Amino acid sequence: MSWFKREEVEYERGLAPGNGSDAAEKTVRTEGLWVKCLGCRQTIWKADLEANLNICTKCQHHFKLNARQRIEMLLEPGYELVDGGLRSTDPLNFVDVKPYKQRLRKAQETTGLNDAIINAVGLLGPHEVVLSVMEYRFIGGSMGAVVGETIARAVDRARLERKPLIVVAASGGARMMEGVVSLMQMAKISTALAQLDDARVPYICVLTDPTTGGVTASFAMLGDLNIAEPGALIGFAGPRVIEQTIRQKLPEGFQRSEFLLEKGFLDAVVPRNEMKNYLIRALEFLKAPAE
Ligand SMILES: [Zn+2]
């Protein structure tokens, strides 16, 4: 008897658009010319959406971007991808409704990545930066040993080369198929970030929809600046779990960027089309020598 049962669709949402009621929000469909916007329910031409950084042209709803699109959006051409060689060893030999190895294989085929993360080094405007971007389509952007180690390497690289670190978070949290190994990544990355802080190298975290669980509980909230895209779901436990625990209805907009900004958890909510300029200005400010 297994000790939990979970509908398969929950894991696969990010991978298989069209099999859940809100799948269109999770990923932009790769086939068909039209997309229905989850924000305003209007039908938008896919080419318009793509030309507008996946922001709805009618209501400004931010659709997801994949990791490669995100890097293209932020860095100048000529950036270099680094730290890409790691693969999960499936340390627990984990099987739920299907073997973890099978999930990994499928996610690797769908995304062309080894795991839910890409590190890059390049220019953000005039600034040389280390950029680490999570890929939500890879098992919900969950953080196992590979994601943890790859981010830790980005942090170490930023410290040793004295380049500011930008992390773009998009994650359902720890990867439960790696059990305690995935939870250890929180401490590992946080330790590396403390060293980066001691070395006085700037770190900015960009939180995108969704950033939850162990990622929020570690590096996503440890930036010198923590900024988010509009309307992003950001939290530790999900709203349904909290409602059931405290037996209260949660306020409107709970765990969305704007609500968190108002409550002091974020430093800014920045629309995607202003993100790059915002980061350039923030780095100018953070890199200015102390008087
Ligand atoms: Zn819309």
Side-chain angles (χ1 to χ4, degrees):
M1 192 189 99
S2 60
W3 25 284
F4 64 85
K5 204 170 162 91
R6 191 169 181 182
E7 292 300 322
E8 209 165 298
V9 60
E10 293 267 319
Y11 297 135
E12 307 295 347
R13 261 188 199 156
L15 300 174
N19 63 357
S21 60
D22 58 350
E25 193 201 32
K26 306 282 178 190
T27 48
V28 176
R29 283 161 213 264
T30 47
E31 56 216 27
L33 290 170
W34 301 92
V35 182
K36 189 166 181 184
C37 175
L38 259 268
C40 60
R41 307 241 153 233
Q42 294 199 56
T43 309
I44 20 177
W45 197 31
K46 205 179 145 218
D48 279 349
L49 187 65
E50 280 167 3
N52 197 33
L53 298 170
N54 274 5
I55 306 169
C56 174
T57 48
K58 292 169 178 144
C59 74
Q60 312 304 312
H61 175 77
H62 283 49
F63 287 79
K64 285 189 175 54
L65 277 187
N66 67 41
R68 274 314 270 271
Q69 291 170 316
R70 184 73 64 176
I71 294 171
E72 296 279 338
M73 179 188 107
L74 291 176
L75 296 185
E76 312 307 321
Y79 60 81
E80 186 191 353
L81 300 182
V82 291
D83 308 323
L86 301 173
R87 275 172 180 253
S88 174
T89 55
D90 185 12
L92 304 181
N93 220 353
F94 193 85
V95 179
D96 48 86
V97 284
K98 61 177 152 173
Y100 175 40
K101 283 190 180 68
Q102 205 177 313
R103 290 188 191 286
L104 282 169
R105 221 173 13 248
K106 190 173 167 206
Q108 282 159 354
E109 279 166 19
T110 316
T111 60
L113 301 177
N114 284 339
D115 214 302
I117 188 87
I118 306 181
N119 282 0
V121 183
L123 283 169
L124 174 69
H127 306 288
E128 278 193 63
V129 297
V130 177
L131 177 66
S132 195
V133 181
M134 302 188 79
E135 174 57 71
Y136 188 75
R137 292 178 304 152
F138 198 107
I139 318 186
S142 51
M143 174 171 62
V146 172
V147 169
E149 176 61 23
T150 306
I151 296 176
R153 287 185 186 187
V155 181
D156 288 346
R157 185 183 292 273
R159 178 170 53 82
L160 296 170
E161 298 178 9
R162 298 203 64 80
K163 293 175 183 167
L165 172 69
I166 317 270
V167 174
V168 181
S171 178
R175 187 171 298 168
M176 62 176 177
M177 300 84 156
E178 294 188 19
V180 72
V181 177
S182 73
L183 297 180
M184 281 166 58
Q185 307 309 315
M186 298 165 67
K188 183 167 80 181
I189 300 170
S190 302
T191 308
L193 284 172
Q195 290 175 323
L196 187 71
D197 191 45
D198 287 344
R200 302 179 67 85
V201 176
Y203 164 42
I204 300 176
C205 190
V206 178
L207 291 82
T208 69
D209 184 55
T211 299
T212 59
V215 168
T216 314
S218 61
F219 61 87
M221 286 290 177
L222 289 175
D224 298 309
L225 283 175
N226 301 314
I227 60 182
E229 288 194 334
L233 173 73
I234 298 164
F236 182 61
R240 206 175 42 197
V241 173
I242 299 174
E243 270 183 357
Q244 283 167 3
T245 308
I246 64 173
R247 291 165 192 268
Q248 277 180 37
K249 194 93 192 111
L250 293 167
E252 184 76 21
F254 181 73
Q255 289 187 326
R256 294 284 163 185
S257 313
E258 295 73 13
F259 186 89
L260 292 168
L261 177 68
E262 192 190 310
K263 302 293 175 194
F265 278 87
L266 292 173
D267 296 299
V269 174
V270 183
R272 187 175 291 160
N273 44 18
E274 293 167 25
M275 185 63 79
K276 184 169 175 175
N277 281 333
Y278 184 95
L279 289 171
I280 291 170
R281 276 187 288 122
L283 289 177
E284 263 153 33
F285 174 75
L286 290 170
K287 279 167 76 182
E291 298 273 317

